[in-house]
Amino acid sequence: MMIAVEPGIRSLDDWALFAAVAEHGGFAAAERATDIPKSRLSRRVAELEAELGVRLIQRSTRRFAITPVGEQVLQHARAMLAEAEAARALVHEQTQQPRGTVRLACPPALLHAAVGAQLSTFLNAWPQVRLLVEATNRNVDVWHDGVDLALRVRAVDAMLPQDEVVRALALSPHLLVAAPRLLTAAAPPATPAELVRLPTVGLGNSPDAVRWRLHRADGSEFEHLHEPRLLVDDASALLQAALAGVGCAVLPRLLAHDALQSGALQELLPGWTAPPGLVQAAYASRQGMRAAVRQLLDALAEGFGRLIEQGQCLAAPQPERFHG
């Protein structure tokens, strides 16, 4: 909304200086109270009077008096200053104590696997904070989409936007997994080349949807070209397909952790992994960040720190960085 400012409207400072002179009963007393020279006080009050077209203060070398219209204007000046102070107090409260609404965007699979539980813990710790969460796989623009934080999982070497602050939270290892029922007709593959014997499912929004790049610690690499039986752009749906035995899949350890622990999935080709994803939190600027947003960012960092300790994630390779 455009707000038209009428030409000639003076700054709030001039009203504050007039109120200081009026309340201290003269320019000399106001100078002692504010450390602002009498000459400046007199000039600014005179400019305010000239703009308003009325005399606010009657003054001479021996007398000082507020005019009747000056008394009325003083009441309005006090009200304006009180409202300004209330606004400052509100901003201070919002920036010092976690409260208010925070808008967060997060990929659905990441929300399901880790972030959802972290958000519940955060809300229980900070009862005056309200979260609005958008579960989406789209590339959220933190400048134009009205979110305070956007969580993403990107390739480690992906180019980053130049106008965002990005905090790396964790590395998310990706494993090749399959349900035991898929392996009843044949033994698990002993080498990457034997993957051709198994059906596959793939992540549709990934550059590796039909090409898996596998590597191991000794530097060996293998590229597996495949035609997935299911191609889907949601990692949670991919997990369900893998659990049902539709095909083997490359999944984040974070997402497959519980199924691997229970035996509902098993890792294929141990030692061979796909490129990890970098879990990031992006936001527009550090300047003026509200306490609730800052506290949520720290809580997410702590939450992923616990996942790193549990072996579900790895430590991120770079610290918080600013681009732009």
Side-chain angles (χ1 to χ4, degrees):
M1 179 179 67
M2 295 293 293
I3 299 176
V5 178
E6 183 179 344
I9 296 298
R10 304 200 65 80
S11 75
L12 193 61
D13 286 345
D14 289 348
W15 297 93
L17 294 179
F18 162 63
V21 171
E23 290 171 351
H24 288 91
F27 292 98
E31 179 184 41
R32 290 191 294 271
T34 64
D35 289 326
I36 298 173
K38 279 194 305 181
S39 58
R40 183 182 172 194
L41 292 169
S42 179
R43 184 182 72 253
R44 296 286 287 273
V45 171
E47 289 172 354
L48 180 60
E49 290 176 321
E51 181 180 302
L52 296 176
V54 297
R55 177 70 74 174
L56 301 175
I57 299 172
Q58 295 289 6
R59 62 266 202 194
S60 68
T61 55
R62 292 178 296 177
R63 297 194 60 187
F64 176 94
I66 307 299
T67 66
V69 69
E71 291 286 359
Q72 296 179 53
V73 169
L74 179 59
Q75 298 304 314
H76 290 287
R78 287 169 173 159
M80 285 190 293
L81 295 171
E83 286 297 321
E85 184 56 36
R88 290 191 191 95
L90 175 63
V91 171
H92 178 79
E93 183 180 53
Q94 290 288 335
T95 55
Q96 299 302 315
Q97 295 295 326
R99 65 177 69 237
T101 299
V102 178
R103 290 170 172 80
L104 171 73
C106 182
L110 188 63
L111 186 66
H112 171 77
V115 174
Q118 295 177 19
L119 297 183
S120 296
T121 300
F122 171 78
L123 288 171
N124 283 335
W126 303 102
Q128 297 186 72
V129 177
R130 178 171 176 253
L131 293 180
L132 296 183
V133 180
E134 179 184 358
T136 179
N137 286 316
R138 71 183 180 88
N139 188 23
V140 173
D141 188 319
V142 295
W143 282 98
H144 298 107
D145 289 337
V147 300
D148 297 296
L149 291 175
L151 296 184
R152 301 172 182 150
V153 183
R154 287 182 166 170
V156 174
D157 57 356
M159 293 293 292
L160 298 173
Q162 296 298 305
D163 57 352
E164 294 179 346
V165 182
V166 176
R167 182 170 180 175
L169 299 176
L171 270 181
S172 175
H174 285 59
L175 308 176
L176 185 62
V177 298
R181 63 185 294 180
L182 188 69
L183 306 173
T184 55
T191 67
E194 294 179 10
L195 287 172
V196 295
R197 297 190 284 105
L198 295 176
T200 63
V201 293
L203 191 62
N205 61 353
S206 165
D208 301 322
V210 297
R211 179 187 288 110
W212 289 342
R213 294 173 296 140
L214 305 175
H215 63 272
R216 60 183 180 184
D218 65 3
S220 302
E221 295 183 354
F222 184 84
E223 188 174 271
H224 178 57
L225 296 175
H226 61 109
E227 185 175 352
R229 293 191 62 206
L230 172 69
L231 202 57
V232 60
D233 65 357
D234 181 79
S236 294
L238 198 66
L239 171 64
Q240 294 304 314
L243 287 168
V246 175
C248 60
V250 170
L251 288 173
R253 180 190 296 276
L254 191 61
L255 189 62
H257 176 76
D258 289 345
L260 288 168
Q261 292 291 101
S262 68
L265 288 177
Q266 66 183 70
E267 184 178 357
L268 301 179
L269 301 173
W272 288 90
T273 60
L278 183 60
V279 183
Q280 303 170 327
Y283 49 101
S285 175
R286 293 187 186 94
Q287 302 244 339
M289 178 181 279
R290 292 182 294 123
V293 180
R294 184 172 60 249
Q295 191 68 48
L296 176 58
L297 182 60
D298 289 344
L300 290 168
E302 291 174 7
F304 277 96
R306 288 190 291 271
L307 293 173
I308 291 168
E309 292 174 357
Q310 296 165 9
Q312 298 187 50
C313 292
L314 300 175
Q318 72 264 26
E320 184 176 351
R321 295 180 295 169
F322 176 70
H323 300 268

